[in-house]
């Protein structure tokens, strides 16, 4: 518990349950997990661009390793609890990290997703009051199977929402065929946690971009992916068609808090939208949607970004997160607080004042209220 007596809640924290990693180890096409004799940890291969380096690493022990290293922080429940304890976190709402179940064959997607979601629920039952989770859906399955999965997770005691990528059923979140899914999620009183996965095409970053590591796709690609997806949903009228849909946007909404005004200006100055009636004068602005149907996490690492998020949605609609186990310390064997957690907590204090009622809200009380995180 925080020194103030108010809870600290981490709503953006991921895990790959052991069964999920085991499934990826058996795959022969991406995404897949592979072990290398020259590395202590298995690695998750997500991108087709990594296949060439994968082949090279399997043949040459001195070659550069592809993919994402899967340390115990990704799969160990005890490690998750240790991270919470050393970073002063009272409650975590855990969720599966990308690529979720988007890649599964439609015939097996529902069964696998139900099993993994149940695994998350069982983890929460081991730490009652400290763990809750966002479920993932079998989006490659038929819509009826997806709706059945929503009904399944709705009944799981510790489920508080759905984590969703920007692909939807494969054609984006403004796909009309996704509307029944959004309606089912909203009617089940589950929050959608929208999280990027695909970023932007590598060509966007220009020649020699690989010289800058993962900075460009992570710092710029992920936020822009979220911004584009939500802007399309807004312009397609998804929020008006599903007025009880509530969404939590990762990484403080990408660039939406900063660009909402520009989006509005572009809409009202677009002759086609205005003359065709697609942008009526009595429409709800994107600013209104941000304050009525959208929550933002506080994973932005600076008070400047956080102040923009607060100005767009309100301090009562922001929730603290760490993005654990991503952005680990570069130094090995760090057992104390991580900078990725410390910087986000520090940003909250600087943006709204240390010890203030807004700080208590962002750090935990908003999540307790919105997600009904009550200990038994």
């Amino acid at each position: 518990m925080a020194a103030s007596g108010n809870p600290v809640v981490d709503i953006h924290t991921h895990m790959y349950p052991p069964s999920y990693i085991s499934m990826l180890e058996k795959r022969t096409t991406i995404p897949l997990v592979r072990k290398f004799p020259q590395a202590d940890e298995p690695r998750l291969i997500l991108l087709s661009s990594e296949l060439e380096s994968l082949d090279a690493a399997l043949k040459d022990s001195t070659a550069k390793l592809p993919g994402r290293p899967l340390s115990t922080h990704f799969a160990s429940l005890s490690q998750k609890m240790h991270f919470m304890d050393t970073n002063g976190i009272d409650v975590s709402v855990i969720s599966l990290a990308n690529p979720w179940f988007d890649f599964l064959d439609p015939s097996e997607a529902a069964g696998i997703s139900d099993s993994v979601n149940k695994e998350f629920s069982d983890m929460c039952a081991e730490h009652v009051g400290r763990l809750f989770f966002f479920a993932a859906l079998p989006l490659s399955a038929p819509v009826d199977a997806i709706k059945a999965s929503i009904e399944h997770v709705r009944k799981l005691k510790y489920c508080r929402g759905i984590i969703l990528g920007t692909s939807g059923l494969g054609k984006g979140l403004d796909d009309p065929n996704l509307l029944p899914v959004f309606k089912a999620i909203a009617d089940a009183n589950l929050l959608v946690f929208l999280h990027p996965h695909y970023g932007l095409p590598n060509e966007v970053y220009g020649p020699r971009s690989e010289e800058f590591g993962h900075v460009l796709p992570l710092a710029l690609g992920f936020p822009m992916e979220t911004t584009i997806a939500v802007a399309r949903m807004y312009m397609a009228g998804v929020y008006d068609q599903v007025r009880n849909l509530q969404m939590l946007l990762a990484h403080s909404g990408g660039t939406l808090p900063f660009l909402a005004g520009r989006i509005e200006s572009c809409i009202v100055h677009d002759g086609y939208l205005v003359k065709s009636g697609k942008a009526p004068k009595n429409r709800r602005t994107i600013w209104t949607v941000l304050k009525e149907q959208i929550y933002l996490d506080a994973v932005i690492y600076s008070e400047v970004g956080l102040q923009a998020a607060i100005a767009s949605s309100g301090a009562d609609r922001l929730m603290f997160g760490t993005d654990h186990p991503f952005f680990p310390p570069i130094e090995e064997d760090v057992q104390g607080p991580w900078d990725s957690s410390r910087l986000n907590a520090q940003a909250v204090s600087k943006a709204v004042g240390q010890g203030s009622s807004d700080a208590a809200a962002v750090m935990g009380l908003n999540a307790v209220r919105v997600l009904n995180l009550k200990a038994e």
Side-chain angles (χ1 to χ4, degrees):
M1 188 73 69
S4 64
N6 294 311
V8 174
V9 180
D10 182 359
I11 52 80
H12 188 156
T13 178
H14 302 293
M15 284 190 71
Y16 291 122
S19 65
Y20 187 85
I21 293 177
S22 177
M23 173 184 67
L24 293 180
E25 287 176 335
K26 297 171 185 173
R27 289 178 56 81
T28 57
T29 57
I30 56 171
L32 51 81
V33 167
R34 289 294 180 267
K35 296 177 181 177
F36 300 88
Q38 63 269 43
D40 296 330
E41 302 164 339
R43 299 181 77 90
L44 172 61
I45 316 300
L46 281 174
L47 307 175
S48 57
S49 60
E50 297 172 325
L51 290 177
E52 184 177 343
S53 55
L54 169 62
D55 289 338
L58 290 172
K59 296 173 184 175
D60 181 1
S61 62
T62 63
K64 179 182 177 181
L65 293 175
R68 173 188 300 167
L70 297 181
S71 69
T72 56
H73 283 272
F74 281 92
S76 168
L77 181 58
S78 62
Q79 188 70 272
K80 178 67 71 179
M81 302 310 297
H82 179 267
F83 173 82
M84 290 172 62
D85 292 339
T86 55
N87 285 270
I89 296 164
D90 301 299
V91 181
S92 285
V93 186
I94 53 177
S95 55
L96 188 65
N98 61 318
W100 308 291
F101 305 119
D102 296 5
F103 57 90
L104 292 176
D105 184 273
S107 64
E108 62 178 3
I112 291 176
S113 70
D114 285 353
S115 176
V116 172
N117 287 327
K118 178 62 165 55
E119 192 171 1
F120 270 116
S121 185
D122 291 342
M123 289 180 185
C124 296
E126 292 184 37
H127 298 276
V128 174
R130 296 203 70 189
L131 292 181
F132 297 86
F133 77 104
F134 293 131
L137 297 178
L139 294 176
S140 61
V143 169
D144 285 346
I146 299 172
K147 292 169 72 174
S149 182
I150 294 169
E151 183 63 19
H152 169 76
V153 300
R154 182 185 70 82
K155 297 176 182 177
L156 295 177
K157 188 173 185 178
Y158 304 103
C159 179
R160 291 299 184 270
I162 303 292
I163 186 168
L164 193 69
T166 61
S167 171
L169 303 177
K171 296 182 179 180
L173 299 185
D174 56 334
D175 178 5
N177 293 317
L178 191 60
L179 279 174
V181 176
F182 280 138
K183 289 177 181 176
I185 293 172
D187 290 345
N189 198 30
L190 295 171
L191 183 82
V192 171
F193 177 31
L194 181 61
H195 195 292
H197 166 53
Y198 301 94
L200 300 177
N202 287 335
E203 298 76 32
V204 169
Y205 306 115
R208 301 175 304 284
S209 61
E210 68 277 1
E211 297 177 10
F212 308 115
H214 293 98
V215 172
L216 295 175
L218 287 178
L220 305 180
F222 266 25
M224 286 310 304
E225 178 186 342
T226 300
T227 304
I228 293 168
V230 175
R232 288 177 61 112
M233 286 179 68
Y234 170 73
M235 289 188 288
V238 174
Y239 293 106
D240 286 331
Q241 294 175 77
V242 192
R243 289 295 289 265
N244 57 338
L245 177 66
Q246 296 288 308
M247 300 188 79
L248 167 65
L249 307 186
H251 315 128
S252 290
T255 64
L256 273 172
F258 183 76
L259 293 180
R262 183 170 178 83
I263 293 169
E264 272 296 311
S265 179
C266 288
I267 290 173
V268 300
H269 289 96
D270 190 289
Y272 167 72
L273 291 179
V274 174
K275 292 176 182 177
S276 67
K278 292 180 180 291
K281 291 183 178 180
N282 63 347
R283 68 185 170 85
R284 288 191 304 158
T285 67
I286 196 166
W287 293 111
T288 303
V289 172
L290 279 166
K291 287 179 167 62
E292 292 182 353
Q293 289 183 258
I294 287 176
Y295 296 91
L296 305 176
D297 75 15
V299 182
I300 195 66
Y301 308 104
S302 77
E303 68 273 21
V304 174
L306 200 60
Q307 285 168 342
I310 291 170
S312 65
S313 283
D316 62 327
R317 301 187 74 83
L318 260 71
M319 304 181 213
F320 174 74
T322 65
D323 212 351
H324 178 258
F326 297 96
F327 300 100
I330 298 300
E331 301 83 2
E332 296 182 2
D333 300 324
V334 172
Q335 297 299 309
W338 287 24
D339 281 348
S340 53
S341 175
R342 179 184 62 80
L343 288 173
N344 283 321
Q346 189 178 76
V348 173
S349 292
K350 289 183 176 180
V352 298
Q354 186 172 4
S356 68
S357 58
D358 280 348
V362 175
M363 292 301 295
L365 293 180
N366 287 342
V368 171
R369 168 178 54 83
V370 174
L371 299 174
N372 190 30
L373 306 181
K374 296 212 172 122
E376 295 175 347

